[in-house]
Amino acid sequence: MNSFISQSNFFEGNNPEKIVSDYGTPLYVYNERILRNRMHNVSQVITKYPYTANYSVKANTNIHILKIALEEGLNCDAMSIGEIQVLFKAGFPKDRIFFVPNNVSEEELIFAIKHGVMTSLDSLSQLELFGQCCCDLELSVEKRTCAVRINPGVGAGHNEKVVTGGKKTKFGIAEEDIPQIFEIAEKYKLTIAGINQHIGSGFMDPQPYLDAVTNILRIALQFKNLKFIDFGGGYGIPYHKLDDEKDYPMDDFKKRLEPILDDFVAKYGSTPLFKSEPGRYCVAEGCVILGRVHATKQNNGHLFAGTDVGMNVLVRPSMYDSWHDVEVIRDGKVVPRDELTDQNLVGNICESGDILAKSRPLPKMERGDLACILDAGAYGWSMCSTYNSRPRAAEVLITKTGKVKVIRRRETIKDLMRLF
Ligand code: LLP
């Protein structure tokens, strides 16, 4: 693909130069049409049985994006009280939120219990604490309901740092500890309504996920009367789309998932609600970052283009060596990728690891160009920082009708000073 921006009509007819002259750089730019399309796709992963897709909001917690998820019929999973609060503010009712924390305090559990948000406990010690909180709050037995997170014993993901299942990771309860789940549940009169897992993030081959589904369904047979089973998220997106990388094979995945569910339903005797927890798939591709090239130079034969998209704006490349495709925009138009020169696209942060793209064949950049970083909607703004005292970027949404709307104003230095 020569240009994703042109092919997808990402800016919906708006001139990107006009957008940044109105809102500045660095700027997160979202496309509502693409976001809705991806959210719709995940809502259809299982159609034969009761199913909900829980959008995993850690990928992107912008309230306007959450409102789109609400309209698309998605439920959500939250990792913290902050995420629960923003979901409430976006209009999600408590029964459309699943709290999947790890290592949380008593206060956080009490918050979830008091607000009636279904909570998954990720260790025996947290299950014990949850039971204790229920007793302290003198909760009736009917209200003492929760889920437990099982460590699937296997994991998958785009980088070792995002693999969450497997024997060495901190997440979930090991299969051999299941008898103790029942003991703690008995002690505190808890009902285990659901089990959940998450193997990792950003895989393109569905097989490890399908294996993990098979595995958790085998484990589920040990639990009576489960109301739901949550298979986790992790579906990848093609970060190398300019090199024609294919989409996550959603249709093939769905076809292979169905017989696994058929087999379980026949054995279990009842049909629980099935859930998944996709984050990245919902939001990654519906966003680009526009940054200005402020300087170019050659250091010992290496070409550098220096932008205002530092690791404070997008940390994924420096944190995980993640690849984000880059397009170059000059005078409002995408520069065709006909003649490419190896360049390093870097930010303005005082770290040598502040690199967005290393020795990347790109159209030769000039000062004043815009660098357009693709697939930035997941774990982009939600992981950004104010390192080097740089206020955080603004976010705009291009609506279905092509209007550009600010969905988060740019942070200011005054905002940063306010905390002192
Ligand atoms: N459920 C649980 C329990 C999770 O821990 C995660 C992600 C998800 C669902 C959603 O996974 P997704 O569908 O987005 O892959 N910051 C990293 C990704 C870390 C993912 C953490 N957990 C990145 O930028 O690639």
Side-chain angles (χ1 to χ4, degrees), residues 195 216-224 226 264 267-268:
I195 56 175
I216 198 170
L217 291 176
R218 175 186 59 75
I219 291 172
L221 297 173
Q222 300 178 45
F223 291 79
K224 303 256 171 335
L226 285 176
F264 171 75
K267 281 191 199 138
Y268 198 59

Side-chain angles (χ1 to χ4, degrees), residues 56 58 77 100 149 158 162 164 198 200-202 233-235 277-280 316 320 379 383:
S56 192
K58 58 182 78 72
D77 84 58
V100 191
R149 177 166 174 176
H158 67 81
V162 301
T164 50
H198 177 71
S201 189
Y235 319 138
E277 294 173 1
R280 183 189 317 272
R316 302 191 70 255
Y320 313 112
Y379 310 105
M383 289 178 73

Side-chain angles (χ1 to χ4, degrees), residues 91-309:
F92 279 86
K94 60 178 194 280
D95 56 1
R96 286 179 65 178
I97 303 173
F98 185 30
F99 186 32
V100 191
N102 72 89
N103 308 327
V104 279
S105 68
E106 189 175 344
E107 289 72 27
E108 290 169 276
L109 289 180
I110 288 175
F111 177 93
I113 295 169
K114 283 193 172 162
H115 285 84
V117 175
M118 174 61 74
T119 300
S120 166
L121 290 314
D122 142 282
S123 61
L124 295 174
S125 127
Q126 292 257 282
L127 184 62
E128 184 91 35
L129 179 63
F130 183 86
Q132 194 61 56
C133 291
C134 291
C135 290
D136 294 349
L137 292 169
E138 297 179 1
L139 231 59
S140 64
V141 171
E142 306 80 68
K143 287 192 175 157
R144 297 184 182 202
T145 304
C146 63
V148 286
R149 177 166 174 176
I150 305 293
N151 185 318
V154 289
H158 67 81
N159 180 289
E160 199 185 320
K161 290 181 187 150
V162 301
V163 173
T164 50
K167 298 209 176 349
K168 287 193 202 152
T169 72
K170 69 168 178 168
F171 296 102
I173 301 175
E175 188 178 351
E176 61 262 30
D177 291 336
I178 290 175
Q180 291 177 68
I181 295 178
F182 296 129
E183 281 167 28
I184 297 169
E186 173 68 25
K187 178 169 159 197
Y188 295 101
K189 306 275 173 279
L190 302 173
T191 301
I192 307 293
I195 56 175
N196 60 298
Q197 70 177 8
H198 177 71
I199 61 170
S201 189
F203 48 82
M204 295 304 277
D205 172 8
Q207 194 55 49
Y209 189 88
L210 292 166
D211 291 345
V213 170
T214 309
N215 191 46
I216 198 170
L217 291 176
R218 175 186 59 75
I219 291 172
L221 297 173
Q222 300 178 45
F223 291 79
K224 303 256 171 335
N225 302 318
L226 285 176
K227 296 271 179 297
F228 65 88
I229 302 174
D230 182 337
F231 303 132
Y235 319 138
I237 63 113
Y239 281 106
H240 290 262
K241 43 175 60 65
L242 296 182
D243 291 325
D244 299 320
E245 186 184 7
K246 299 272 171 294
D247 289 345
Y248 181 76
M250 206 41 110
D251 289 337
D252 171 58
F253 165 63
K254 286 197 281 201
K255 261 187 228 139
R256 288 157 66 189
L257 180 60
E258 206 170 282
I260 301 173
L261 304 180
D262 290 342
D263 188 48
F264 171 75
V265 168
K267 281 191 199 138
Y268 198 59
S270 66
T271 313
L273 173 69
F274 296 121
K275 298 187 188 196
S276 68
E277 294 173 1
R280 183 189 317 272
Y281 186 93
C282 298
V283 288
E285 294 180 273
C287 174
V288 301
I289 300 172
L290 291 175
R292 184 70 76 188
V293 177
H294 286 305
T296 57
K297 71 162 142 181
Q298 201 191 102
N299 261 0
N300 304 312
H302 301 284
L303 291 176
F304 289 86
T307 73
D308 50 14
V309 186

